[in-house]
Amino acid sequence: MPLKEKILQKTAKIGVIGLGYVGLPLAIEFAKVGFKVFGIDDNPEKIEKVNQGVNYILKAEEVLLTSLVKEKRIKGIVDYSILKEVDVIIICVPTPLTKNREPDISYVESVNKEISKYLTKGQLIILESTTYPGTTEEVILPKLSENGLKVGEDFYLAFSPERVDPGNKSYNTKNTPKIIGGVTKNCRELTKILYSQVMEEIYVASSPKTAEMVKLLENIFRSVNIALVNELAVLCKKMEINIWEVIDLAATKPYGYMPFYPGPGLGGHCIPIDPFYLTWKAREYDFHTRFIELAGEINMHMPYYIANMLIEALNINHKVLNASKILVLGAAYKKDLDDSRESPSLKIIEILNNKGAAIEYNDDYIKQIKIKNKIFKSIDLKNLKLKNYDAVIIATDHSYYDYKKIVEESSLIIDCRNILKKYKNDKIRVL
Ligand code: SAJ
């Protein structure tokens, strides 16, 4: 039966490779509407958890995952040979940067090699991992075409960027509009039909590289605008203007403006990383992406700026940072999440630790962190005497913190998130 009918009848078997914050929710969405989904991941622990119905990405959907596993709608599997039995393969593996901040598509390439091993006629392959424009047609397609199968006739290939905002309570995989870009007309049509089974809105790009660029624009837009307010925050401090008040008042403009807020830096595995995929690709065209690189410099400077704020504040209290007892609140890269990837909190801890401060941190979502080769364990705030610290840094404004108690008990506070805006106290230093 042709793939289109299998998709419409939901008898198509779907393989999702990479069961992270994109892949697992996506697998669940397809299983929810009736598809049989194989979740493939190199990490046996993740596979075991999925098959036990443990939803390590979205606790709230644990019951759902458990029932889908029980109904054999979702099955976790490590063995890539399952790929010869599926009709659709969706790639959701990480696309990080190397330590020299160049694109690392090694996960995509190794998965693509596995797919090409088992590629069978009629299969649809979709890349969702964020990457530079050209990856689908310059990297994925040639490998899959090696054994003579023709794209658009024997197999189908598309790019469709993931749009997941971790922690967002309003938008999820189903109600976030989806962009798709197929290599050929047939690829486009089949990909649109597939995602229409799950997503409410589908928008078709004229090519995979257009769709790849759409995703990068979305994330570069955030990185550049966050850098803008970070730069203005530093300037406003010198001018004795409250940047937070400025932003809130600017946000009253009902059109042509969108608020972004200063912070201790840029965390997560998307915004600090994705823009540099375009920087790297642009070099092929003798093009220097100055906005992206300037934004990167400003955002990467923020942890150092926070450390400097602390040093200056301690100095006013006739204290030096070296051997001062500092408590950092929040290791996650943003509030109410258990993800510390690229978190500026870790960079702040590293900087202060290198300057001889006695650093401790709390994050109930993140029990321990590793900075270079040193392990820090989250300390329990219960019965903790905040006045025993020379300063407290609010790096991540988790909802669980008792901010009233923090203000009452701390001797000095560096507030990186303006979470203490309703308290007036000169021991609070806000970014
Ligand atoms: N941040 C600021 N100021 C802001 C907004 C964010 O300093 O005004 C910081 C955050 O604290 C965080 C970092 O930037 O450390 C990134 O936050 P984020 O919410 O922009 O990024 P992610 O990685 O949590 O999720 C984003 C998605 N977020 C939103 O659209 C709000 C979206 O950009 C992508 O769909 C997703 O990354 C992705 O997977 O690319």
Side-chain angles (χ1 to χ4, degrees), residues 21-22 130 162-166 168 215 218-219 222 225-226 229-230 259-272 274 299 332-335 337 342-344 417:
Y21 80 99
V22 174
T130 304
E162 53 89 358
R163 276 175 170 173
V164 175
D165 178 22
N168 192 314
K215 176 67 186 175
E218 290 170 12
N219 284 3
R222 294 185 66 73
N225 279 287
I226 292 164
V229 289
N230 280 334
F260 286 86
Y261 301 92
L266 216 44
H269 43 290
C270 309
I271 312 298
D274 301 343
N299 290 327
Y333 76 87
K334 72 179 186 181
K335 68 185 280 193
L337 277 191
E342 305 288 324
S343 173
R417 302 287 186 174

Side-chain angles (χ1 to χ4, degrees), residues 251-284:
T252 60
K253 183 179 179 197
Y255 48 81
Y257 179 76
M258 176 179 179
F260 286 86
Y261 301 92
L266 216 44
H269 43 290
C270 309
I271 312 298
I273 289 170
D274 301 343
F276 295 97
Y277 269 68
L278 187 61
T279 297
W280 177 83
K281 186 65 177 176
R283 290 182 195 133
E284 254 177 60

Side-chain angles (χ1 to χ4, degrees), residues 19-30 55 57-58 61 164 173:
L19 296 177
Y21 80 99
V22 174
L24 185 55
L26 189 66
I28 290 173
E29 287 302 328
F30 276 108
N55 192 330
I57 297 289
L58 213 56
E61 295 211 337
V164 175
T173 304

Side-chain angles (χ1 to χ4, degrees), residues 185-398:
K185 187 172 177 302
N186 288 348
C187 305
R188 214 167 21 245
E189 286 311 309
L190 282 166
T191 307
K192 183 174 178 184
I193 292 169
L194 174 78
Y195 283 120
S196 307
Q197 309 305 310
V198 169
M199 277 92 176
E200 292 161 5
E201 283 179 75
I202 311 282
Y203 293 91
V204 179
S206 53
S207 65
K209 67 179 178 180
T210 304
E212 288 159 340
M213 182 62 103
V214 166
K215 176 67 186 175
L216 291 181
L217 173 59
E218 290 170 12
N219 284 3
I220 292 164
F221 165 75
R222 294 185 66 73
S223 164
V224 168
N225 279 287
I226 292 164
L228 171 63
V229 289
N230 280 334
E231 180 173 77
L232 294 183
V234 176
L235 173 58
C236 282
K237 186 61 78 182
K238 292 176 181 302
M239 298 174 76
E240 295 181 7
I241 295 172
N242 182 330
I243 182 66
W244 304 89
E245 179 191 5
V246 169
I247 292 166
D248 285 347
L249 291 173
T252 60
K253 183 179 179 197
Y255 48 81
Y257 179 76
M258 176 179 179
F260 286 86
Y261 301 92
L266 216 44
H269 43 290
C270 309
I271 312 298
I273 289 170
D274 301 343
F276 295 97
Y277 269 68
L278 187 61
T279 297
W280 177 83
K281 186 65 177 176
R283 290 182 195 133
E284 254 177 60
Y285 301 85
D286 295 335
F287 193 90
H288 180 202
T289 56
R290 286 168 294 168
F291 268 104
I292 294 173
E293 295 187 61
L294 175 60
E297 275 168 44
I298 292 169
N299 290 327
M300 282 170 77
H301 170 70
M302 292 314 286
Y304 296 92
Y305 180 74
I306 296 298
N308 210 43
M309 274 181 72
L310 171 66
I311 291 167
E312 288 185 5
L314 286 171
N315 189 43
I316 292 167
N317 295 352
H318 307 289
K319 291 183 180 173
V320 289
L321 177 61
N322 198 330
S324 286
K325 281 194 70 179
I326 309 296
L327 175 66
V328 174
L329 297 180
Y333 76 87
K334 72 179 186 181
K335 68 185 280 193
D336 302 341
L337 277 191
D338 62 355
D339 193 340
S340 62
R341 278 174 289 188
E342 305 288 324
S343 173
S345 306
L346 275 54
K347 181 51 88 175
I348 291 168
I349 291 169
E350 179 189 342
I351 295 164
L352 300 179
N353 184 55
N354 290 346
K355 290 179 183 298
I359 285 275
E360 291 183 325
Y361 88 96
N362 162 272
D363 193 316
D364 290 354
Y365 294 102
I366 298 168
K367 294 298 173 209
Q368 74 171 37
I369 54 174
K370 190 171 178 194
I371 309 273
K372 301 285 177 203
N373 295 323
K374 187 171 177 183
I375 300 279
F376 293 80
K377 289 194 183 310
S378 173
I379 58 164
D380 191 337
L381 289 184
K382 248 196 317 301
N383 316 320
L384 192 69
K385 297 265 173 288
L386 296 182
K387 64 178 185 315
N388 293 345
Y389 292 91
D390 296 298
V392 171
I393 299 179
I394 302 173
T396 314
D397 46 341
H398 286 316

